[in-house]
Amino acid sequence: MANITKKVSWSSRADESGAAGEGTPLLNGSEQPRHSRQPSEGGSLCQIGRLSTVDLEEEITSDEESQRGRPKEIPHNEKLLSLKYESLDYDNIENQLFLEEERKMSYMGFRCLEISRWVVCGLIGFLTGLIACFIDIVVEQLAGIKYQVVKENIEKFTEVGGLSISLLLWAVLNSAIVMLGAIIVAFFEPIAAGSGIPQIKCYLNGIKIPRVVRLKTLVVKVGGVICSVVGGLAVGKEGPMIHSGAVVAAGVSQGRSTSLKRDFKIFEYFRRDTEKRDFVSAGAAAGVSAAFGAPVGGVLFSLEEGASFWNQMLTWRIFFASMISTFTLNFFLSIYHNKPGELSNPGLINFGRFQGDSVAYNLYEIPLFIAMGAIGGLLGALFNVLNYWLTIFRIRYVHRPCLQVMEAMLVAAVTATVSFTMIYFSNDCQPLGPEHTEEYPLQLFCADGEYNSMATAFFNTPERSVRSLFHNQPGTYNPLTLGLFTLTYFFLACWTYGLAVSAGVFIPSLLIGAAWGRLCGILLATITPDGSIWADPGKYALIGAAAQLGGIVRMTLSLTVIMVEATGNVTYGLPIMLVLMTAKIVGDYFVEGLYDIHIKLQSVPFLHWEAPATSHWLTAREVMSSPVTCLNRIEKVGTIVDTLSNTSTNHNGFPVVVKVSGSDEPPKLCGLILRSQLIVLLKHKVFVELARSRLTQRKLQLKDFRDAYPRFPPIQSIHVSQDERECMMDLTEFMNATPYTVPQETSLPRVFKLFRALGLRHLVVVDDENRVVGLVTRKDLARYHLGKHGLEELQLAQT
Amino acid sequence: MANITKKVSWSSRADESGAAGEGTPLLNGSEQPRHSRQPSEGGSLCQIGRLSTVDLEEEITSDEESQRGRPKEIPHNEKLLSLKYESLDYDNIENQLFLEEERKMSYMGFRCLEISRWVVCGLIGFLTGLIACFIDIVVEQLAGIKYQVVKENIEKFTEVGGLSISLLLWAVLNSAIVMLGAIIVAFFEPIAAGSGIPQIKCYLNGIKIPRVVRLKTLVVKVGGVICSVVGGLAVGKEGPMIHSGAVVAAGVSQGRSTSLKRDFKIFEYFRRDTEKRDFVSAGAAAGVSAAFGAPVGGVLFSLEEGASFWNQMLTWRIFFASMISTFTLNFFLSIYHNKPGELSNPGLINFGRFQGDSVAYNLYEIPLFIAMGAIGGLLGALFNVLNYWLTIFRIRYVHRPCLQVMEAMLVAAVTATVSFTMIYFSNDCQPLGPEHTEEYPLQLFCADGEYNSMATAFFNTPERSVRSLFHNQPGTYNPLTLGLFTLTYFFLACWTYGLAVSAGVFIPSLLIGAAWGRLCGILLATITPDGSIWADPGKYALIGAAAQLGGIVRMTLSLTVIMVEATGNVTYGLPIMLVLMTAKIVGDYFVEGLYDIHIKLQSVPFLHWEAPATSHWLTAREVMSSPVTCLNRIEKVGTIVDTLSNTSTNHNGFPVVVKVSGSDEPPKLCGLILRSQLIVLLKHKVFVELARSRLTQRKLQLKDFRDAYPRFPPIQSIHVSQDERECMMDLTEFMNATPYTVPQETSLPRVFKLFRALGLRHLVVVDDENRVVGLVTRKDLARYHLGKHGLEELQLAQT
């Protein structure tokens, strides 16, 4: 089998390279055990160093086949669980090398490590802030040019009467820019599509999503998001910041770039999944913080999505990164706006300040807020259902990159056309105030000194539109404008999410919600006699925005804090929380959150917080994969190579067992070793000529493992001669001698809790005599979920 | 041995009842093994059903001795670890009864449970808010009367010249009120002393602190805090709210009151440590939320102090409780202030709104803030060191209740005298503004239309003083006044903390910090030419307050959020965070935080977030207690009674082992059973007449265990006849069949992580053959800590 590099189609693009890649975790197969050693009671089926093949999916497309032709229908399905995703190793591999290093390290050594962690977090925050700043400035400049050009064109043709030319200009400009963004995404790095939040959620959940934290992804992401926002799509630039922050974190913390082939020889200690995942949490938080000016919200986002075990020092570092990030953004934007040192731009989106008495709320408004939350939940569910169907459609029919680019261009053109039509037919003219807060007021057919109100909503970057919906004086919009705007923007945003462009759904959601929220406020003011006193439309716009966003993404705690921080006013804490909770409860009744839908459609083995409530009747015995391919502590090289090369069972973790010498007893568990470790051992030819002789053994350092991390070579690239196949390998020093184990009778919730709390990758199931009977991995736990008819089991599939 | 009820001296009061109580966990002793069955390799020392005695502390005072006479010197020492504290069982006891119940429950059943959890959290929030409201109103009313009386008296005597009579009146009034508060605390419920935060920290850490969440404690706490605040001590009413919230949570969630002997037959499912601890987290958060109007801060406080495993649903419930709590307080206070429905009083302490341009900060102010953080750290460390010495002194010499009451009265009188003297000799007269924000302006020797500025600081509740330091116009205080005030209040507050009164240290810290912070601001304004533009003293007062509080209590993340929420302005997030971090770093260089000092002085086995960095050379084998008293799965009643009655080894958890019948092999681990379960079994006489016969066995329900929770009777209260002693007990159904285990070679950090992440109470150490070799409990892990000279081991002691 050739050295296949893995590709993952996170966007709606098909996976071209086929099913199983070099590191694909497969189900532990279940060939008839060769050394069938059936002990009296436990049913311990432990194959020693033998190959096993998958019998579960006989009809599976073999690697060669999938390389030749594209599968006819991409089997994305929310009832499947893909086997191609690996877990991260959040549990430290405590082998002898690691313990020796730790024991050698002095207290000062640990202090230095701790300090360098803080330095890395500071760097992460700083770079994330810089990237946010760069995106913001570039978008503002380019969008400014675009809107100026179109505006001048429209003004030129308003009198003359050739507005269709303006429309054409607008549509072509948008399409061209979006095309650029879609091309780099679809052809160069499909994983950079979308907001990246589902991917980061998965990463923080402990799933290794290939290519998600690479430099190339970051570059494409930044370029893509600029193009899609400037291209006038119904998208925001906030979501992608989270992904960008995560990539920055993964890059900085490793002290090298594999893509650029530069190794700075620093932070080598951090080259393992445990540390990297912690830093990625910090990066994601820094991204949220830069996007919304919400450092605490960022920390809570990271925790809500990622944390298994809450660690105080880690949380502080995350908080530090967040703070630095928002501060950096703030500082550089203040320079850009020629007010150096005045720190008033904490995030990419700024809701403006809600201050003064007009925004206070009263007790009797609470039920209104809750009702709005329910509306948000309903609309959010509708949005999600529509987007779900659309995504299914895209997976089936729009999986070629060129089709994806064309669809993106189409959406861009349609967006421009619809916007133009709405503006054209709107006759909502508003007087242009003396201070006129609108950046690009379009006069069109309005009288002099007036501007078209619909254009404020459409002919603007979405961030500005949100702000004007929040803060413009009562009476700036008439209800019809708002209603039409909500309707069109709702469908545009729904169509846009899932395109092969880098873009987020936060701002469009906020915009839709702000529009209908403001509409609610206006209606309330008209139906109540003295309503104008308390029904400030801006306040209702804010509540509507929260409701809509909550209805779509279904976050509560972190979103509350993000919204509170973005408004800069804690008074709204309670109503926003109530609204988000209502939206979540109502929305969850119909369909899951948008991110969860997309995660499920990718068949990712995502672990929730707890095992399904009604799963107490399942035990580890039923859940585990068995029989397990075990290795002897001193194992023949040939056996190891064969085990690793077995493409049908690509296992990633192997329990190591030991036989009491001279005894007839079955072998006992004595450790756990990973595929990646074995690969490094093979590569460095850590063989002993004869069993039990340690003389010729080359001493490997932890450094060798760290250097290979995270892109371990595939087994096919390692040449082992026939002579070497006869040598032995002593795994004692390299295996994790104290893997976590559970007895067979352990209930699923208990197994789940242990697995989730410690972020494990493999959990060995043993019998009374400490013999291996099975192995629990992520997919074994993730496949149970609560469906409509109680506990359901997902099917496992290779894709 | 008589049935000794345990008393714990959390305040500085001595433990009168002696060392070991009925449920005291002792070190698993190490008598020479009777059934010494030394296997070939593991050294498995497992005593079956035999008593073992402690040989570790031969010189220990026996129970009789300690009952007769009070020990001469109370062995409180931060180098000791007390054995009298038990762990909470955060890990579910998954025995057959539990699993059967869970399996019988339908999906709807779990939904109902989830809903009732939300209801309980809502109730917790509501009641906590009500209590906060009650305390606030009563304090305001009583303090109002007191200050009015004293003010009138002072005004009467200012002219005549008998101000010493006013001083006497003030001092006597204060002493009398404080005496009342001190009496109820010292004589009725010593655990209600202080802020309660260290106790709640310990509880959330997983330590069972006796009497801490009882109704009586709550009543005394509320009464005590009212007395101490009205009595004019340098204390706040905010800290105790956290304790109050926790008690409310523990009470409401259990659906009954053991003190009042009322059982409402609801929430029976929640009668175990796992659920209770979760609710107590919510209660503590609700308390913080009510105290500071900081719902997010409350959640973070609970997480920072309590969470092991972050669970999203739990966090949301905590957040819900917090929100309801601040909302309830807000609502009732708005009615009290005759502005019903206007929700503007989110917390007990209201920093007032920091708004407008005057409070924006500039980049070059950041170093100043950091410098102030360092000052706060230094002053905080000084405060803590002084308080530490004072506490040691109190433990040695002031441990009788009557002495404690007298000390409290003395402090009250001295506080009044010092305040009066300061006011008397101050000549800082300020013009009385037209709106005059001061509640009780004292004219004294000032001209007409002026008031004594020192009196605003001293002659006021501390909350109002803080607010006026934050918000009064520049020039309201002169530097000398502030300097003197800082100095005196610092020592007063330091002396006050640790008295036998219910009171918190938050407000005094804020007040000290606000005073010197404002002083800094004023000095800055004078030394810079155009300084008055940016050096708003109120801003510096805020930063100073944060620095001082951070320097004393050393919280960062939650405190940042609390401060931000209390100021109602997120702009200050970054400076507050920087200040708190600096204060923590500087302070930690000298001494620990105040709460940690008090926890250490009580020798509580507190588990930090991670094992000490340099502890990788320790393994489970060195850490564990061994040999372990094991029980057979079918065990003689007499053996069980003897084991439980053995006062020298009061174990709380017993591994259950099983021997393969007819084989010569050593017994294998098959479960774990707790003392409390055995007690219930004995009480219900769940015996089988003959081994292996299950006919006469009475079926026990989970309900029987729940009814006995949490105050299980001592073994001495259970009568077992001589005949019954010969019966057998089958533990199969009741033991936790799948206890977590680790191999002997597991490193301490790994053991620690498992223990901490899952909130365990007992962790069984097994050898290769699954035989019990040891047991790791909280004290085994807590006794290793990083001292000045690397890893240190604390001594275990009975007190």
Side-chain angles (χ1 to χ4, degrees), chain A residues 41 90-94 98-99 102-103 105-107 110 118 274 296 299-300 303-305 307-313 315-316 319-320 323-324 327 331 340-343 353-356 361-363 366 554-557 560-561 564-565 568-571 573-574 577-578 581 584 609-610 613-614 616-619 660 665 668-669 736-743 745-747 749-751 753-754 756-758 767-770 786, chain B residues 41 90-94 98-99 102-103 105-107 110 118 274 296 299-300 303-305 307-313 315-316 319-320 323-324 327 331 340-343 353-356 361-363 366 554-558 560-561 564-565 568-571 573-574 577-578 581 584 609-610 613-614 616-619 660 665 668-669 736-743 745-747 749-751 753-754 756-758 767-770 786:
Chain A
E41 47 171 302
Y90 198 60
D91 182 39
N92 266 335
I93 306 154
E94 287 209 352
F98 177 80
L99 285 175
E102 295 282 311
R103 283 166 193 167
M105 220 188 290
S106 67
Y107 179 60
F110 284 105
W118 281 91
T274 321
V296 179
V299 174
L300 287 176
L303 292 172
E304 208 169 315
E305 300 307 344
S308 3
F309 174 57
W310 163 287
N311 182 312
Q312 205 172 21
M313 288 312 287
T315 316
W316 288 345
F319 192 42
F320 182 67
M323 275 290 180
I324 294 290
F327 179 76
F331 178 67
E342 210 176 78
L343 308 175
R353 291 273 164 266
F354 282 83
Q355 279 177 353
Y361 60 93
N362 230 312
L363 188 65
I366 300 268
R554 310 283 165 77
M555 289 145 61
T556 56
L557 183 58
T560 307
V561 177
V564 167
E565 287 189 293
N569 192 327
V570 293
T571 322
L574 181 70
M577 190 201 77
L578 288 175
M581 286 215 163
K584 185 178 163 62
W609 294 99
E610 280 176 341
T614 55
H616 271 281
W617 55 270
L618 282 170
T619 64
V660 183
E665 280 184 43
K668 314 269 181 189
L669 174 72
N736 177 358
T738 52
Y740 292 112
T741 58
V742 283
E745 298 80 26
T746 317
S747 71
R750 203 172 167 82
V751 174
K753 200 178 167 197
L754 179 68
R756 183 76 170 84
L758 298 176
D767 66 3
D768 290 348
E769 310 261 332
N770 203 31
L786 267 182
Chain B
E41 47 173 301
Y90 198 62
D91 182 37
N92 267 335
I93 306 154
E94 288 209 350
F98 177 80
L99 285 175
E102 296 280 312
R103 282 165 194 169
M105 222 188 289
S106 68
Y107 179 60
F110 284 105
W118 282 90
T274 320
V296 179
V299 173
L300 288 176
L303 291 172
E304 208 170 315
E305 299 307 345
S308 3
F309 174 57
W310 163 287
N311 182 312
Q312 205 172 21
M313 289 310 289
T315 316
W316 287 345
F319 192 40
F320 182 67
M323 275 289 181
I324 295 290
F327 178 77
F331 178 67
E342 210 176 80
L343 308 176
R353 293 273 165 261
F354 282 83
Q355 280 178 352
Y361 61 93
N362 230 310
L363 187 65
I366 300 268
R554 310 281 166 78
M555 289 144 62
T556 55
L557 183 58
S558 56
T560 307
V561 178
V564 167
E565 288 190 293
N569 193 326
V570 293
T571 322
L574 181 70
M577 191 201 76
L578 287 175
M581 286 215 163
K584 184 177 163 61
W609 295 97
E610 282 175 340
T614 54
H616 271 280
W617 55 270
L618 281 171
T619 64
V660 183
E665 280 183 43
K668 312 271 183 189
L669 174 72
N736 177 359
T738 53
Y740 293 111
T741 58
V742 284
E745 299 80 25
T746 317
S747 70
R750 204 172 167 82
V751 174
K753 202 178 164 196
L754 179 68
R756 184 77 170 84
L758 299 176
D767 66 3
D768 290 349
E769 311 259 333
N770 203 30
L786 268 182

Side-chain angles (χ1 to χ4, degrees), chain B residues 413-458:
Chain B
V414 168
T415 307
T417 313
V418 169
S419 308
F420 193 85
T421 320
M422 300 290 288
I423 296 173
Y424 188 84
F425 287 108
S426 156
N427 46 13
D428 180 8
C429 292
Q430 300 288 344
L432 203 56
E435 44 203 82
H436 73 113
T437 48
E438 319 308 324
E439 196 87 353
Y440 317 105
L442 275 185
Q443 189 183 343
L444 267 173
F445 306 117
C446 293
D448 283 346
E450 291 194 331
Y451 68 96
N452 186 308
S453 173
M454 185 66 97
T456 359
F458 271 123

Side-chain angles (χ1 to χ4, degrees), chain A residues 693-704:
Chain A
S693 131
R694 294 194 175 202
L695 290 173
T696 57
Q697 184 157 352
R698 180 179 156 192
K699 186 72 181 168
L700 265 192
Q701 300 292 318
L702 262 189
K703 195 182 167 307
D704 299 302

